[in-house]
Amino acid sequence: MGVSGGPGIRPRALGEDPLPGEWTPGGPPRVWLLHLAGLRPGGFTDEGPEAGGLRGDGLGAGVPASGALLDDGPRPDAVPGEEVPYGDLRPGAAGLPDDGPQAARSPLDAALRDHARILDPAERDRAAAFVRDLHRNRYIASHVGLRLLLGAYLATDPAAVVLVREPCPGCGGPHGRPAAAGAPLHFNLSHAGDLALFAFADTPVGADVEQLQPAEVVDEVARVLHPDETAELAALPAALRPEAFARCWTRKEAYLKGTGTGLSENPSVTYVGAGPAPASPAGWTLTDVTAPPGYAAAVAVANARGPHLP
């Protein structure tokens, strides 16, 4: 179980569950989690059952930073609102050989081995810019995972998906929500620690996953939240605040990423709640996502007939 208190979305596990079929409109958002520990761009490592393969609950790991998907990457000094990339399912973890012509290959494993072809030039340049191998590997894994899912939903080669940016709702610049050119669906990506979260929907969608923060971070950052959220956190016993803060922050980031504004909107403006159930802003539906212990996650989807911007 994750830290979210109310009923939420139980995501599918990329690398464990079958890839989706072609996108069909209607229904709730499609949400996926990917665990990336032990993953390498050349394929999955074989470091034993605890090396980072998908856990028994089928949940997994990490992605880019607030409000962004295509250009944001992990930072070793990340704080709430900043995300750090992740991923994995290893044939070796199931006792299967990792190499050789008869080795079992999952679609994710095969895509990782083909990452240089699948990623576009901008993604390859971004990956090459990382100083640490861990961050580079997580970035590659998260973007390969995104393209693998988009390719399945769009019934096309993942390398053929053209990723673009929508106009910023604030200034009109080309740094708004990420999008797949000409696609009938919207998507969003987030990552933190060893988790990557992917969300897809018929209308604009935002997703966020965060690790629980130390008490001192919670106390400091809680002051920038909506006054009612700050009061809700202050009323809780100290031991419960990190979980409540995490679910509040993921709801807020998911919503702000969905609108395309990101943290250019002050976190104190929109109320999403720190309690067991999220408070959805007008025109949006906020839902907590079931996450592994130590993490919180949420998805925000624009209502079909409601306003898509605050």
Side-chain angles (χ1 to χ4, degrees), residues 141-237:
S142 64
H143 282 249
V144 166
L146 173 64
R147 285 181 167 275
L148 192 62
L149 289 168
L150 284 171
Y153 282 130
L154 301 177
T156 190
D157 183 344
V161 177
V162 178
L163 298 178
V164 297
R165 289 281 189 172
E166 295 180 350
C168 171
C171 68
H175 48 262
R177 282 186 301 262
L185 76 165
H186 299 258
F187 71 86
N188 209 225
L189 165 69
S190 177
H191 66 78
D194 282 336
L195 281 184
L197 178 68
F198 308 86
F200 304 84
D202 294 327
T203 59
V205 60
D208 190 57
V209 60
E210 301 284 350
Q211 289 180 290
L212 268 64
Q213 297 296 316
E216 57 271 21
V217 173
V218 171
D219 291 342
E220 179 178 355
V221 182
R223 292 178 292 182
V224 307
L225 299 176
H226 188 281
D228 290 345
E229 294 163 348
T230 301
E232 291 170 0
L233 291 170
L236 291 173

Side-chain angles (χ1 to χ4, degrees), residues 1-4 31-34 55 59-69 72-86 138 188-198 206-214 217-218 221 225 241-257 262-263 267 272 287-299:
M1 290 293 295
V3 300
S4 299
V31 181
W32 296 75
L33 273 173
L34 176 63
R55 302 186 178 99
L59 300 180
V63 157
S66 21
L69 233 20
D72 296 313
R75 289 175 286 255
D77 58 344
V79 297
E82 297 180 324
E83 299 161 1
V84 186
Y86 33 69
R138 287 174 166 179
N188 209 225
L189 165 69
S190 177
H191 66 78
D194 282 336
L195 281 184
L197 178 68
F198 308 86
D208 190 57
V209 60
E210 301 284 350
Q211 289 180 290
L212 268 64
Q213 297 296 316
V217 173
V218 171
V221 182
L225 299 176
R241 286 177 198 156
E243 292 187 1
F245 172 81
R247 61 183 174 239
C248 178
W249 191 270
T250 56
R251 295 165 183 170
K252 195 174 294 285
E253 276 236 45
Y255 167 68
L256 294 176
K257 290 176 69 176
L263 290 180
V272 297
T287 310
D288 293 331
V289 174
T290 301
Y295 290 86
V299 168

Side-chain angles (χ1 to χ4, degrees), residues 84-104:
V84 186
Y86 33 69
D88 123 290
L89 169 71
R90 295 158 298 113
L96 299 173
D98 191 49
D99 292 298
Q102 303 303 317

Side-chain angles (χ1 to χ4, degrees), residues 86-132:
Y86 33 69
D88 123 290
L89 169 71
R90 295 158 298 113
L96 299 173
D98 191 49
D99 292 298
Q102 303 303 317
R105 302 294 184 203
S106 73
L108 179 58
D109 180 72
L112 283 167
R113 293 175 184 275
D114 200 21
H115 71 276
R117 181 189 70 85
I118 290 176
L119 299 180
D120 66 22
E123 290 169 312
R124 292 196 295 270
D125 288 345
R126 174 61 176 160
F130 286 105
V131 175
R132 296 184 60 188

